[in-house]
Amino acid sequence: MDKTADRINLLAELLRDLETTAISWQVGLIALCLALAWGAGRILRPRLERTLAAARTEGGQEALYVGAAGLLRVLVPLVAWLLLVVTRAALQAHQPVNLFNVAIPLSSSLVIIRVVVYTLRHALPPSGWLRQSERAITWAMWIGVALHLTGLLPGIREFLDGLAFNAGKHRVSLLNLIEGSASVAITVLGALWIGRVAESRLMGLQQLDTSLRVVFAKLVRTVLLVFAVLIALPLVGIDVTVLSVFGGALGVGLGFGLQKIAANYVSGFAILLDRSIKLGDLVTVDGRYGTVARLTARYVVVREFDGTEAIIPNESVITSTVLNHSYSDRSIRVDLTVQVAYGTNLRQALDTLLEVARGHPRVQAEPPPAALVRNFGENGVDLDLLVWIADPEAGRGNLRSELNLGIDEAFRARGFEIPFPQRDLHIVTGSRDKPR
């Protein structure tokens, strides 16, 4: 009550100052202080920006960069606050300074709000929308503080509360909607930020399996969102028991239109828990061959070797056959077929294939490579080279190309011929009986 009375007295004194020349002096001096603060900001800003650029390019200058960026944001209001304080101290001995008593708290509150918002942006996990809307959040908070300091906020609240309508037995006003929306937004955003912090900590626990880390992170974020809703609804004035009706409607919806979505989410948690597919695994799913780049509650992202990414619903992964090339062992076999001409010493050709395979750095010694005679074809003898590699994510096509080049060079050096399709034509000459 005392603070409210002080604000009312301050407004009354301001109204009395309007009838004298004191208000003109105060308006002029405040405008001069703001202009000087703006000019000082124009002069000092290039130096701070150069400090920012130097801190960004040099390593280990994170604290200097954060400090210079924070000072850059509060430079103008901070200088304005200092000038207003000094001017009020020099002027209050000669005339009333009621307008200064309003301007100084407004400028100091702007400095504090900008520092708080900037600190939260660096303390919380990185968020693009927070960085982009930092200025809007600052000014919205400052307007609320300004209305509170000037004593205008109670009148505005009464006006907004008067714009109301009845929804059944409840009275809903514009003030309730604004306060409820703000409460829900703040609660949900806080839950999301805490969830991101917990997720980053969980993903950093190397002693846990990757799939378990993803499961725990998803569960933490889901539980936090549920708690945020349970906390926010009473703040808005909604009875939590209405969730039973919503839960029944949601169950009916899942039974009909949302069953596919529900199946994908349930399948996603099943995949994460049984660890049949993990991040980095080399898999073939739905005709897609690549590495598992991402596991979510709804889909699996398989990155193929040509750079494309296939988004496969979890239900398809559960209900179809998945070839996991690295489930228990990352070693896979790569087969090559080579043809040599008839008349070639096959034992020497097989030894040459094994020599080329053993000389390649990606071919494993265990299991050892093998060379076999497959069959006798139309144009030559087909030979198979079987090698094992432990890094399938590095690609198999490039390995085949390098082995084929080595085989071609070795065969040329030993005089082995790789045949090409050919046909023998036999021309029969002689007389034919002509028809009579």
Side-chain angles (χ1 to χ4, degrees), residues 36-255:
L36 291 176
W38 180 81
R42 296 278 294 183
I43 295 173
L44 298 175
R45 181 177 293 272
R47 298 182 180 180
L48 289 175
E49 289 178 347
R50 286 195 295 270
T51 303
L52 282 174
R56 186 183 291 111
T57 55
E58 297 179 5
Q61 300 291 326
E62 182 66 22
L64 178 61
Y65 175 81
V66 173
L71 182 59
L72 188 63
R73 281 164 170 76
V74 301
L75 180 61
V76 174
L78 182 61
V79 174
W81 175 76
L82 292 173
L83 292 175
L84 289 172
V85 170
V86 172
T87 305
R88 183 182 67 175
L91 190 64
Q92 62 184 358
H94 305 284
Q95 69 168 47
V97 288
N98 296 312
L99 193 58
F100 277 89
N101 293 335
V102 176
I104 289 175
L106 291 178
S107 59
S108 61
S109 63
L110 182 58
V111 173
I112 295 173
I113 290 172
R114 284 197 169 183
V115 170
V116 169
V117 174
Y118 180 72
T119 303
L120 287 176
R121 203 191 86 179
H122 285 273
L124 295 173
S127 178
W129 75 267
L130 181 61
R131 185 181 297 106
Q132 296 172 2
S133 57
E134 178 183 350
R135 187 183 298 272
I137 294 173
T138 300
W139 284 108
M141 295 174 61
W142 182 79
I143 290 173
V145 173
L147 293 175
H148 175 73
L149 292 175
T150 56
L152 300 176
L153 187 59
I156 295 177
R157 286 175 59 89
E158 292 179 2
F159 173 74
L160 294 176
D161 190 56
L163 301 176
F165 61 92
N166 292 325
K169 297 180 180 180
H170 299 278
R171 179 179 179 274
V172 182
S173 65
L174 184 58
L175 179 63
N176 297 137
L177 295 176
I178 294 175
E179 291 180 345
S181 301
S183 300
V184 172
I186 292 173
T187 308
V188 172
L189 289 177
L192 291 176
W193 282 331
I194 296 173
R196 292 191 64 180
V197 172
E199 183 177 0
S200 61
R201 297 290 179 86
L202 287 171
M203 296 305 291
L205 297 177
Q206 300 298 328
Q207 60 270 26
L208 283 179
D209 186 79
T210 305
S211 298
L212 291 178
R213 281 180 270 169
V214 174
V215 170
F216 290 146
K218 300 299 181 185
L219 288 177
V220 168
R221 295 189 68 176
T222 303
V223 171
L224 287 173
L225 281 177
V226 171
F227 273 110
V229 172
L230 293 177
I231 293 173
L233 288 180
L235 295 177
V236 184
I238 299 176
D239 191 358
V240 181
T241 56
V242 302
L243 291 179
S244 59
V245 180
F246 175 75
L250 181 60
V252 174
L254 291 176

Side-chain angles (χ1 to χ4, degrees), residues 305-346:
F305 293 104
D306 58 358
T308 59
E309 293 179 331
I311 300 175
I312 304 172
N314 289 327
E315 185 185 13
S316 300
V317 178
I318 289 291
T319 58
S320 62
T321 301
V322 178
L323 297 180
N324 193 333
H325 304 278
S326 54
Y327 181 66
S328 58
D329 187 2
R330 298 191 64 83
S331 298
I332 65 171
R333 195 183 74 186
V334 180
D335 301 345
L336 287 86
T337 299
V338 182
Q339 194 175 70
V340 294
Y342 283 109
T344 304
N345 189 323
L346 296 181

